[in-house]
Amino acid sequence: MSEQQPTTFFENQEDKINIKDLLSRYLRNWKWMVLSVLVCAFYAYFYLNSITPQYKSSAKVLIKEDEKGGMASGLDVFEDFGLSSGSDNLENEIEILKSLTLIKKVVNEIGLNISIAPKDDKNETAFQQSPLALHSSNHDSNLADTALYNQSAFYELQIVNAKTFILFDGESHDELGTYFFGKSFKSSIGDIIIEKTEFYNQEKKDQTYVISVTPVLNAAIWLQSSIQVESVNKDASVLSISLEGPSVNKNNTIINTLIRLHELSAVEDKNRITKTTSEFINERMKVITNELSLVEVEGQDYKTAKSLTDLTSDAQIFLEKNNDLEKTITQIAIQLEMADYMIEYLNQ
């Protein structure tokens, strides 16, 4: 038998990889490699400093449904009169939480339509901690809403000293004038006052501030589109409310205010229904009382006019009136039971 020789691979020196030649080939372009690294590092630095980080805040709300057989069932008897609050479900609550009426209350509550912050405050750290505040010089809240909160303005403010500041147009940068802190002056949005707050720091007197005033409706529409309200799952009566923005504090404040005002609105709604129902019961009881008095007077006048002294006839009339009175008493008892429900509900 002939013996087979073992096979060897890459024994030829020409087939081997020369590491030295490979490195020298790349090192010849080291300038371009370093330049590429520097360009990428510069771009990354510029990108990270130009964008504003966004943070997401969320909260979960448990929607309690009225227990059957309780006060809610007692109010169901008024559904035919259009006085019932109706069934509460998650879809209704989602629409209420995102309603423009409720969100406008949030905007007014925390002043989201007016912002005074340092020019470089991209993360909105000055939210509710601004060193300056802007108010309408008219103390009438209704007039203030008309003169200030339904208009737009964009200013830049340069502090001169502890008493005065210079105001510039935010777009053209034209100087509008020098004014005093705490003193009223005329502006494009009416007579306003700019004053220092407890967060004012004398050391930052040369800081430039940006003043932005947005109509309440516009701010509410923007906030309405930013807030997300959705059901956690179909088997739980829990809603998730979330909001993204550059300031966690601002996100949390908006969500907490929305939840609180929603609860207050629900209480006011129930109180309105309770008041309407109570007024209805009182009116019905007055009508029943008047009817009973009228029946009694008419019966007495009839007997007097007809000289009804026959005992048998009087007894028959008495039995008929007694039956009518028993029916009326039953009706009044029902009304009183409804009133008890209402009293119990109001006490709660």
Side-chain angles (χ1 to χ4, degrees), residues 220-331:
I221 292 174
W222 173 85
L223 183 59
Q224 185 184 45
S225 63
S226 302
I227 291 179
Q228 300 297 323
V229 183
E230 55 188 3
S231 174
V232 174
N233 59 67
K234 63 180 181 179
D235 297 324
S237 298
V238 177
L239 294 179
S240 174
I241 305 174
S242 59
L243 177 65
E244 289 188 9
S247 170
V248 175
N249 178 42
K250 185 175 181 179
N251 293 345
N252 294 342
T253 302
I254 291 174
I255 292 176
N256 290 334
T257 304
L258 177 64
I259 294 173
R260 178 172 56 83
L261 292 180
H262 172 260
E263 293 176 350
L264 290 176
S265 178
V267 171
E268 291 174 357
D269 209 24
K270 290 184 178 180
N271 288 340
R272 177 182 58 81
I273 295 171
T274 302
K275 180 181 178 181
T276 305
T277 307
S278 177
E279 291 175 352
F280 172 78
I281 291 175
N282 291 333
E283 290 298 324
R284 290 300 303 164
M285 294 182 70
K286 289 179 181 178
V287 170
I288 292 172
T289 302
N290 292 334
E291 289 179 350
L292 287 175
S293 300
L294 183 60
V295 168
E296 184 176 357
V297 170
E298 288 179 350
Q300 185 64 37
D301 292 342
Y302 180 81
K303 288 176 63 178
T304 303
K306 301 298 183 180
S307 300
L308 297 177
T309 57
D310 182 66
L311 294 178
T312 303
S313 299
D314 287 346
Q316 183 64 30
I317 294 173
F318 175 78
L319 290 174
E320 292 176 356
K321 289 185 63 177
N322 188 57
N323 290 335
D324 293 338
L325 288 173
E326 287 181 355
K327 292 179 181 179
T328 304
I329 290 171
T330 302
Q331 292 176 355

Side-chain angles (χ1 to χ4, degrees), residues 135-146:
H135 306 286
S136 172
S137 60
N138 196 318
H139 297 289
D140 190 327
S141 60
N142 293 327
L143 293 177
D145 289 343
T146 303

Side-chain angles (χ1 to χ4, degrees), residues 16 75 78 113 131 168 170 191 231 243 250 268 329 345:
K16 293 183 178 179
L75 290 175
F78 298 103
N113 65 310
F168 299 88
D191 294 341
S231 174
L243 177 65
K250 185 175 181 179
E268 291 174 357
I329 290 171
Y345 181 70

